[in-house]
């Protein structure tokens, strides 16, 4: 794992939370992007080497809507940058961790992503993400 790529924060309403984080971080949101497969809209902020990702549900039945209804808004996941997501997934399975998806998925911000089950990581949802060097490359 190379570094913390971003921290994900679950929010109810991006139009409310984007201005809050713009004021907090003193930097504008540089991108919003829908991830239709996850039923979320995301908003990104740069903080030095790392990023903050706000995640809001686009569907009342989506995973983020369910998360907020159980736990409220707040810290949702920590994402680590990896060089080779397939190799990292294989390593983590061998170490006994449980993956939430068996193959990498296309995530927001031009990334291949995979989540680990929080039961194996002290309740912390972990995301692996690998930069896609060719934006139009197919997900393998
Ligand atoms: Zn994320």
């Amino acid at each position: 794992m190379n570094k913390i790529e971003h921290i994900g924060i679950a929010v109810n309403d991006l139009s409310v939370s984007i201005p809050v984080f713009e004021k907090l971080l003193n930097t504008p949101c540089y991108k919003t992007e829908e991830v239709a497969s996850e039923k979320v809209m995301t908003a990104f902020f740069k903080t030095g080497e790392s990023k903050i990702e706000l995640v809001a549900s686009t569907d009342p039945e989506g995973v983020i809507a369910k998360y907020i209804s159980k736990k409220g808004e707040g810290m949702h996941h920590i994402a680590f940058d990896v060089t080779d997501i397939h190799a990292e997934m294989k390593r983590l399975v061998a170490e006994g961790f449980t993956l939430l998806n068996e193959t990498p998925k296309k995530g927001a911000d031009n990334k291949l992503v995979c989540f680990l089950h929080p039961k194996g990581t002290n309740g912390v949802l972990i995301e692996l993400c690998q930069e896609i060097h060719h934006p139009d490359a197919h997900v393998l």
Side-chain angles (χ1 to χ4, degrees), residues 5-8 42 44 53 55 76-79 108 113 115 127 129:
E5 212 280 336
H6 65 268
I7 291 177
T42 62
F44 285 89
E53 174 190 38
V55 194
H76 180 257
H77 64 271
I78 299 177
V113 305
F115 287 90
E127 176 184 3
C129 54

Side-chain angles (χ1 to χ4, degrees), residues 33-65:
E33 183 179 348
E34 184 170 14
V35 184
S37 59
E38 299 292 305
K39 298 177 179 165
V40 296
M41 182 64 90
T42 62
F44 285 89
F45 303 83
K46 285 199 170 88
T47 55
E49 279 220 328
S50 304
K51 297 169 191 164
I52 298 291
E53 174 190 38
L54 303 182
V55 194
S57 192
T58 55
D59 182 320
E61 295 300 308
V63 287
I64 292 296

Side-chain angles (χ1 to χ4, degrees), residues 13 23 29 50 52 62 69 73-75 92 126 130:
D13 185 345
K23 277 185 240 171
C29 169
S50 304
I52 298 291
S69 72
E73 293 180 294
M75 269 276 306
L92 290 165
I126 303 290
Q130 179 192 330

Side-chain angles (χ1 to χ4, degrees), residues 46 48 66 75 77 79-80 103 121 132 139-140:
K46 285 199 170 88
K66 284 181 181 162
M75 269 276 306
H77 64 271
F80 291 96
T103 53
T121 54
I132 301 171
V139 176
L140 299 173

